[in-house]
Amino acid sequence: MLYAVRVRLYPNAAQREFFAKTFGCCRWVFNDALAHCQRLYEAGEKRPSAYDLAKRVVILKADLPWLADADSQALKYACSSVDQAYKNFFRRVKAGEAPGFPRFKSKHRGDATYTATAATGIALEPRQLKLPKAGWVRCRGGRDWEGKIKRATVRQTPTGKYYATVLVDDGRDLPAQPETGLTPLGIDVGCKTEGFTHQFAALSTGELISAPAAYKRQMKRLRRAQRRLARKQKGSASRLKQKRRVAQLHERISAVRRDFLHKLTHQLTRENQALAVEDLNVQGMMRRPAAKPDPDRPGAFLPNGASRKRGLNRSLASVSLGEFFRQLEYKCDWRGVTLLKVGRWEPSSKRCSCCGKVNDTLTLADRRWQCLACGTEHHRDINAAVNIAARAA
C-alpha cells in the first residue's frame, strides 16, 4: 500500500540554491521535451517515448553544462511527465472527455517542484530528510512510517516555504471491503453559505455538518491586497512583496479548507463500514451556460445567467467537493470501508423518504418542504441523505 509523508523543509543557503537550480532545470527540460514532441507531431513523425526523451537530455548536457547542476534523475522524471501528459491527453480524447492538451510550465504560475526518484539516496528521519545531491535537510512535521521509500517530491510555494512529500510503500495489500450486510451512511453534500460557514453536508442520521467559509472570511482582505498588487509597478521589489502577501492569504484559505476536509474524511471512514454518496459532476455544476445570440441585435448575445451562477461557482469552489470525494475514496480503500455511489440523476432531494412520492415542484430555494401524499415534513438535505443511503443499500 502506498502512502505519503509530508514534511516542511528548512534548507540552508546552499541547499536553497540547489533547489532553485533543480526547479529551473526540470522546468526547462519539461518545456523543451514538450516543444520537441510538438515539432515531431506537426512533421507527421512518431512521438518519442519517455526513454527517448531521457536519452535526448544526455545529449543536451554536452551543449548545456548547467544542466549537470541539477539532479539527473529529476530531469528524467520530467521527461516521463511529458510522456504521461501526452498519454492522458489521448486517453481523454478517445473517451470523449475534455482534452486538456499539455501546457508549458511557467516559473510565474503555481509551485516550483521537482521529483527525486533515486530511492537509495533518500532517507527520512524524525528531524531531517536526505535528498540526492542536497544532502541532509532539516525538516519538521513527519510521522512514524515503515516500508520502502519510492520517491520524494520537493515543492516551493509562492510564499517561499519548502515542502517535501515522500512516497512510501509498506508492502501490504489494501484491506478487503465487505459487500453484504451493510447499512451505509448516506451523505448529501452542498454549499449553502450562512455567515462565515458553509452547510457542507447532511448525514442520513440527521446530523448537519458545517464547514468554515475561509474564502468568504478573507475575501475583504484579499480584494484589498489584489487591488494594491494591481497598482504596483511590474518588476519592482514592492510588487514582489505584495504578491507574496496575496499568496499568503490564499495559502491560509487553502490550509483551513484542507484541514477541515482531512478531519471530516478521517472521522467518516473511521466510524463507519459503508458510506453512500452521489456521483456528482462537480466540474459540470461549476460550468457556466453558453451564451445565445440575440435575434434582435446582430452580433450580440442574450444574458446567459453568468452573473447568477457566479456566486454558486464561488461557493462550490470554496467547499472543494472534488477534493472531498478524492480523499473519501482513497481513505475508504485504506481502511476497508465500502464506498457506494448513487446516480447523479436520482431525485434524492425531491423524493419523500417515507412514502416515495416525488415532488417535482421543489426548487433550490426550498430548504424545508412537506410531502403532499403523506404529510411528512422534511429538511431538504437530510431527506436527500436518507434517500441516498436507501438507494445505495
Side-chain angles (χ1 to χ4, degrees), residues 57 71-72 121 148 219 237 267 356 378:
V57 172
D71 183 4
S72 60
K148 181 180 179 181
M219 192 181 299
Q267 180 183 359
H378 295 291

Side-chain angles (χ1 to χ4, degrees), residues 220-238:
K220 187 175 181 180
R221 293 183 180 179
L222 196 58
R223 285 173 178 164
R224 186 184 300 116
Q226 288 174 334
R227 283 197 298 267
R228 290 176 179 175
L229 176 63
R231 298 189 184 106
K232 303 295 182 182
Q233 184 177 358
K234 291 185 177 181
S236 63
S238 59

Side-chain angles (χ1 to χ4, degrees), residues 20-67:
K21 290 181 179 179
T22 306
F23 292 148
C25 291
C26 290
R27 182 177 61 250
W28 188 91
V29 168
F30 181 93
N31 292 337
D32 184 73
L34 182 57
H36 178 66
C37 291
Q38 289 182 353
R39 287 193 297 267
L40 294 181
Y41 177 78
E42 294 173 357
E45 300 181 13
K46 183 180 178 181
R47 179 175 59 86
S49 63
Y51 178 74
D52 298 331
L53 294 175
K55 287 174 58 179
R56 184 169 173 271
V57 172
V58 178
I59 300 175
L60 290 174
K61 283 185 178 181
D63 299 329
L64 305 172
W66 46 268
L67 286 176

